[in-house]
Amino acid sequence: MADVTAPVEVTVRFFAAARAAAGAESDLLSVRQGATVADVVSELRCRSDELARVLQRCSFLCDGIAVRNQTTELRSGQTLDVLPPFAGG
């Protein structure tokens, strides 16, 4: 039986402007059981004003699948990609 008190470990990968604002390519976060994408984004916003500003415009992928609902619960071992809008041409 899984330990329901054990933290959930999620890898967060930052791209483009999010990477610059975070000052890192990725980070391993430990969050509580039942934590959602929104909870992780909220925790990241507390790191710096610049990262908070960039996160307002970002979209997210969880294990390569677009996050449509930020109330989605995360599980240990998942990867959350932080994608700012990309300029294209």
Side-chain angles (χ1 to χ4, degrees):
M1 185 170 180
D3 181 358
V4 295
T5 61
V8 172
E9 291 193 337
V10 178
T11 300
V12 180
R13 298 189 304 181
F14 302 99
F15 294 87
R19 178 183 293 168
E25 266 186 44
S26 65
D27 196 359
L28 181 62
L29 292 183
S30 290
V31 295
R32 64 173 172 71
Q33 287 282 335
T36 64
V37 172
D39 293 329
V40 169
V41 172
S42 180
E43 183 174 325
L44 293 172
R45 281 190 179 114
C46 293
R47 292 187 173 186
S48 76
D49 290 341
E50 178 65 13
L51 185 55
R53 186 184 63 77
V54 170
L55 287 169
Q56 291 176 351
R57 300 184 323 265
C58 288
S59 58
F60 305 93
L61 300 178
C62 186
D63 290 342
I65 298 170
V67 174
R68 303 279 184 228
N69 182 350
Q70 287 195 13
T71 62
T72 301
E73 284 189 22
L74 296 166
R75 298 182 315 275
S76 273
Q78 287 188 303
T79 298
L80 184 67
D81 293 331
V82 180
L83 306 167
F86 291 96

